Structures are given as C-alpha cells and as structure tokens.
Amino acid sequence: MVMDFQKALLEVGKSLSTDEVEALSFLCTDILSRKPVSLDGASNLFSLLMKEDRLSAGNPQLLVELLLTIQRPVILQNIKLSLPSPSTLISPYRKLLYRLSEQITEEELGNMKFLLKDIPRRRLEQKTTLGVFLEMEHMDLINESSLEYLETIFKSVCPVLNEEIRLFRKEIWHPESSPSTVKPSQTPKPSSRTDFQGDETPQLLSPSMNPSNSTNGEMASLDTVNTEKNNPESQENDEVLCDYPMTGKRGICLIVDNFDFSESYKNLTNTLRNREGTKFDRDALKEVFGWLGYEVDIHVDYNADQIKSLFTRIGQQDHSQYDSLVCCILSHGMEGKVYGVDGKLVEIKLLIECIDGEKCPSLIEKPKMLFIQACQGCKEQYPVQPDGIEDETTRIFADAKIADLRSPVIADLLVGMSTVPDHASFRDKFCGTWYIQSLCKNLIKCVPRRIDLVSILTKVNFDVSGMTDFSRRRKQMPQPAFSLRKRVVFPVPEKRPPEIGALTKDNS
C-alpha cells in the first residue's frame, strides 16, 4: 500500500508545473519545520512531508487539500484518491496569500517590487509573487495579524485585492459568522452591485424571495440588493458566500446565431434585415467559452421550430457530469420573444422552462447562464433606427426586442441582457455587438483573477455604457438578472487566453 501511495505521489509530481510545485511548497511553509532544498520537482516536498509524518497512505488529507487549493482536482481523480471532507491543515492566512498571488499580473508584480523599498532589489529580481511574499515575511513586513504593509502596496498597485484582505480579517475575527468549513476554491464576494431601475425589470432576490424558500422562484435583477449588505455594521453578521462547484466537466455552451433573415417575408409584412457583424460575436463566444472548458455547440440560422426543438433536446440531455450550462442567443425579436430566421417568434420563457429543474433534473443546483443579444424595446438611448428600417450609411445597427423575464420559475439562473427594458441594443457590422464583445473581453481579463460572473457583468455594464458611435449620440446600458444562490467563479484555464477583436469606446 505504501509503495502504491509513493507511485501515486510520483504521478502527482509529474502532473505539476514548476509554478504549482512552488505554490505547494509555499502553502506548506507553516507545516514543515524546514523548507525544501530544491523546487525542481515535487518529490523533495513530498519526502519531507512524509518524513515529518504530515503525509502518508493512511493520512492523505494534506495532499487533497493542497491540490484542491491550487485548483487541480483532476489529479486526485487520475490517481483515484477519494475526496474526504474538506480539511483545514493549511492556514487561512497562507491560502489568502496564495489567492492574492493568483490575481496579480506580471506588470503588477513589477510595480510591487518597485515599491518595496525595504527589501534589497537584488533579492526580488527573479522572485515570483509567492517569493516576494516570503521575502516580506522574512523582513517581518507582513504576518497573519499584520497585513497593513501589504494593503499599502495594493492600494497603489491593485486596490481591489484589499477587499480579499478585509474579508480575511472578518473571517478570522468573527468566525462565528462564517461557515465552519471554507472550501479552498472560495474567493470573496464583491462588496457592491450596480443598481438599475425599471418597471419591466425582474423582481430582485430578497431574503423572502430566495429560491430556496420561495414558491414562485422569481429571478433577481440587480436593482434591489438588500441595503443592509452595504452597511458595515450589518456586514459583521454576513456569511461568506459559497461558490458553485466547478470540479467536473464544465458543461455545454449552446450558441444560436441567426444572421440570414431573407425568408422572414413569408411570415412578416416587412422582411427583417440580415444581422451584419454577428459572425464576430459567434467566433468570440466560441473562442472564449472553449477556453473556459465548455463544449461549444453552434447552430446558425435556425427557424422558430428548430430553436424550440434545440432547447427541448438540451433539456432532455443528461448533464449529471457537467458543472453548468451556457446558452447564447443572437437574433432579432419582440417583447417576450425572439425571431427564428423564418420570421416566426419563440417565447423566451418557453426556452427557459426547457432547462428548469422540472424539465431537466440533472441541472438542479447548477448555474444556468443565458446571454441574449437583442433589443428590449424601440426606445433609443439616443436616436437610431431599429432593424427593418436601417440607415445603410451607418455601421451601427440596432438589434431586436427581447424577452419579458419577470416571472421565470427557475433557480440558479443568470440572464445577461444586452440592454435595459424598452431600449435598443447596438451591433457594429465590422466588429460585432458592443455587449457580446465586451462580455468576451472581460471574461478573458477577469477569470484569471477569479472574479465572479456577476461582478464581471457589472464591469461589462460600465464598459458598454461608455461606448458610442461616430455621431457620439447612440448609447446602450446592459442589464443582468439572476436567481443565483451562489457565486459563479470559473476555474482559471491552463491554456493561454484567446485573442479576440476589441471595440473601442467610440467604435472607431
């Protein structure tokens, strides 16, 4: 049995990169009586852990916690090591520093080294972020009870990381208000959300409307977040928000991209215009969600019956091996409906019902994300002609109206809408839509920082709201709505992020 365990450790070592071995060594800093001599491989670290009785065939909990902390559960599956109840052998402080290091870019690391005047420059030259943290500890600049020095550095380099430190202090000082076990994959929840008002927006989650204790399962928008959550006094009683598990296959990413509406005249008085530029969105979604680990399934120019059949089939599939589901719809539409290329309408509510807990039990308690690129009305956030009567002299077009999602009976759903109710959504025929391009760019930028999806969509709101066309008159404001009960945090992909087209703020 001991020999089998040592063989398993050898396989683990072969699966780890140099940076991951350094991370494991860093996480074991407070556990080992002395630091491993070499970081060329994991064998030296594992040998020390076994020598000090920290790791054995009968006691593999530390190995499990280490691999889960660095987001490598697949290795545990490969060596057929069962996953016991989460342990807390690694100090929360050490995990905090590791999480912070994962969110610091090369440029930010260089800026940190420049600001660290209390450490000789030559000792920092070849250091990674974890190495810099160790040097700061050696100089007694930071420790578990004193992180002010690091906060001062972050204030100049990356202020958002100080929120992680704040939540760490809260967890340490008020353990009675935190869960007894915190998963290594958890990261702090955002401290605020952007507010949007509107009569047609979905009702927002409040304690009385949470899907776990509500009978109607109404979705949340972002306009009525409990004000007590933003009150520092009430934050002391907040629980740390959990993440949806993302340890299996990521799931299916369904993309319905309708471009050619030349046959729509058969069912409409006026033929809908082709959606020029939509290919840029389709390609960007394919690249980004493929990078995130999704099985991308693309369907182009579907009529109404085909769209309904497609969602019915997706709902009938077994998703038990998947962590989540993503659906993207790029098409024209009207209030509460989207168009097939034949000019017939499909109700958005019916599509959502195909993937709810009743129709698709294997997606219960798993995040279902729906991104819709289309208008929600005829009003413009400054004059622009809607599809069907486009001005051929402009490259910026409006997409069609979209669904009324006020009362979907579904939990764990997020709908990212490209615009607020009653307003147009814009498409650049040379670059794609403002919303989808911004969504893809921000996923690429924010996922490596382990920022949750709702916060990413808030950043999309900010970016799109600042965009305009050549005339500087056309504006757009996206709006997410959700009935999520946990945070959606995508695991950081091992592959390099894709490169996609970028929209400037003036689409020039």
Side-chain angles (χ1 to χ4, degrees):
M1 182 176 179
V2 174
M3 182 62 69
D4 290 341
F5 184 65
Q6 289 180 327
K7 287 181 179 178
L9 291 179
L10 184 62
E11 290 301 315
V12 172
K14 292 179 179 177
S15 303
L16 296 172
S17 66
T18 301
D19 288 343
E20 289 171 331
V21 173
E22 181 187 15
L24 295 188
S25 178
F26 178 84
L27 291 168
C28 291
T29 300
D30 306 319
I31 296 174
L32 289 169
S33 58
R34 63 188 181 92
K35 184 182 176 183
V37 177
S38 172
L39 288 177
D40 293 338
S43 299
N44 183 250
L45 173 63
F46 294 151
S47 295
L48 282 176
L49 290 172
M50 296 178 73
K51 185 176 180 179
E52 297 188 12
D53 294 327
R54 300 289 187 176
L55 184 64
S56 66
N59 184 28
Q61 284 83 358
L62 178 59
L63 178 64
V64 173
E65 187 175 358
L66 285 169
L67 293 178
L68 290 179
T69 301
I70 67 170
Q71 298 293 312
R72 293 302 303 273
V74 173
I75 296 179
L76 295 174
Q77 298 171 12
N78 292 341
I79 63 175
K80 296 179 172 56
L81 186 61
S82 60
L83 301 172
S85 300
S87 55
T88 53
L89 301 174
I90 306 169
S91 75
Y93 164 70
R94 196 61 51 186
K95 289 181 179 179
L96 167 70
L97 293 182
Y98 170 73
R99 290 199 306 271
L100 292 172
S101 74
E102 287 291 282
Q103 301 179 64
I104 295 174
T105 65
E106 287 294 327
E107 181 181 357
E108 290 165 346
L109 175 59
N111 292 336
M112 282 181 61
K113 292 177 179 179
F114 179 77
L115 293 173
L116 284 169
K117 303 297 186 182
D118 295 300
I119 302 178
R121 187 65 55 85
R122 62 179 179 79
R123 288 167 58 178
L124 298 176
E125 285 182 355
Q126 303 300 321
K127 297 291 185 182
T128 63
T129 305
L130 292 178
V132 170
F133 286 160
L134 286 174
E135 289 293 339
M136 294 176 72
E137 289 182 312
H138 295 159
M139 297 291 292
D140 200 27
L141 298 176
I142 60 171
N143 56 55
E144 185 171 359
S145 59
S146 179
L147 290 167
E148 290 80 9
Y149 190 98
L150 187 59
E151 287 177 295
T152 301
I153 296 292
F154 283 165
K155 188 174 181 180
S156 299
V157 173
C158 190
V160 69
L161 294 182
N162 279 332
E163 176 66 8
E164 290 241 19
I165 296 177
R166 186 192 70 80
L167 290 175
F168 165 75
R169 284 202 182 98
K170 176 182 167 183
E171 179 184 345
I172 296 302
W173 295 345
H174 303 277
E176 71 279 0
S177 65
S178 301
S180 58
T181 301
V182 180
K183 294 183 180 180
S185 62
Q186 286 179 353
T187 49
K189 62 182 177 180
S191 59
S192 63
R193 291 288 183 267
T194 304
D195 292 355
F196 301 108
Q197 302 292 338
D199 295 336
E200 298 297 321
T201 55
Q203 292 294 316
L204 214 71
L205 281 181
S206 64
S208 63
M209 292 173 59
N210 190 307
S212 62
N213 56 22
S214 171
T215 58
N216 61 16
E218 286 190 290
M219 274 176 53
S221 177
L222 298 180
D223 56 339
T224 57
V225 175
N226 191 339
T227 54
E228 293 183 2
K229 299 288 184 179
N230 298 322
N231 185 332
E233 296 181 3
S234 65
Q235 284 181 353
E236 300 302 326
N237 296 320
D238 252 356
E239 290 188 350
V240 176
L241 193 61
C242 297
D243 298 342
Y244 284 102
M246 290 280 184
T247 55
K249 295 181 179 180
R250 202 66 57 240
I252 295 171
C253 173
L254 180 69
I255 301 175
V256 177
D257 179 22
N258 283 348
F259 162 75
D260 185 358
F261 284 84
S262 59
E263 297 295 312
S264 61
Y265 74 90
K266 296 178 181 179
N267 296 292
L268 295 171
T269 304
N270 296 317
T271 303
L272 292 168
R273 296 276 182 162
N274 291 344
R275 299 184 62 254
E276 301 290 344
T278 189
K279 182 182 183 298
F280 295 103
D281 289 346
R282 181 178 74 229
D283 291 345
L285 290 169
K286 175 185 176 182
E287 291 295 322
V288 171
F289 281 101
W291 171 65
L292 291 175
Y294 284 87
E295 300 173 13
V296 180
D297 185 16
I298 298 176
H299 301 269
V300 178
D301 293 340
Y302 263 35
N303 63 37
D305 289 339
Q306 288 174 320
I307 294 174
K308 288 185 284 187
S309 297
L310 179 61
F311 271 77
T312 299
R313 177 172 61 81
I314 287 293
Q316 292 173 345
Q317 285 185 231
D318 182 8
H319 297 263
S320 56
Q321 300 300 313
Y322 295 135
D323 295 327
S324 59
L325 173 68
V326 174
C327 298
C328 306
I329 300 177
L330 315 173
S331 190
H332 293 311
M334 291 184 64
E335 193 70 27
K337 307 173 181 68
V338 291
Y339 277 111
V341 292
D342 56 354
K344 293 183 179 179
L345 289 162
V346 181
E347 288 192 32
I348 295 294
K349 286 183 179 180
L350 296 181
L351 300 182
I352 291 177
E353 287 174 3
C354 291
I355 58 174
D356 67 14
E358 181 180 356
K359 298 287 180 58
C360 189
S362 59
L363 281 174
I364 291 176
E365 297 186 355
K366 297 179 180 180
K368 295 159 281 286
M369 295 156 275
L370 179 63
F371 299 100
I372 300 174
Q373 169 54 47
C375 296
Q376 292 192 71
C378 295
K379 295 180 181 178
E380 298 111 12
Q381 295 183 46
Y382 230 75
V384 64
Q385 292 177 317
D387 272 334
I389 48 173
E390 292 176 347
D391 177 1
E392 298 295 343
T393 64
T394 182
R395 59 186 273 188
I396 305 299
F397 300 140
D399 269 322
K401 292 184 288 184
I402 195 57
D404 173 6
L405 296 171
R406 285 174 291 183
S407 302
V409 185
I410 187 171
D412 307 302
L413 174 73
L414 181 144
V415 178
M417 301 188 221
S418 61
T419 189
V420 293
D422 299 326
H423 288 81
S425 178
F426 302 120
R427 171 171 34 86
D428 187 312
K429 63 183 179 182
F430 297 134
C431 299
T433 59
W434 297 355
Y435 175 68
I436 295 296
Q437 292 296 313
S438 178
L439 170 66
C440 291
K441 286 197 306 178
N442 279 290
L443 285 170
I444 290 172
K445 180 180 178 180
C446 297
V447 166
R449 293 173 175 265
R450 293 196 55 75
I451 297 175
D452 70 284
L453 182 57
V454 173
S455 295
I456 292 174
L457 291 177
T458 303
K459 179 63 165 58
V460 172
N461 287 349
F462 175 81
D463 288 351
V464 175
S465 67
M467 293 178 180
T468 185
D469 70 330
F470 286 118
S471 70
R472 300 190 179 277
R473 296 182 305 159
R474 300 177 173 106
K475 304 292 290 184
Q476 181 177 329
M477 185 72 250
Q479 183 179 39
F482 63 91
S483 62
L484 299 175
R485 294 177 287 179
K486 300 179 183 179
R487 299 191 327 145
V488 177
V489 180
F490 297 110
V492 180
E494 295 183 5
K495 297 185 297 183
R496 291 177 59 85
E499 295 182 4
I500 62 171
L503 289 175
T504 61
K505 284 198 173 185
D506 63 357
N507 289 283
S508 56

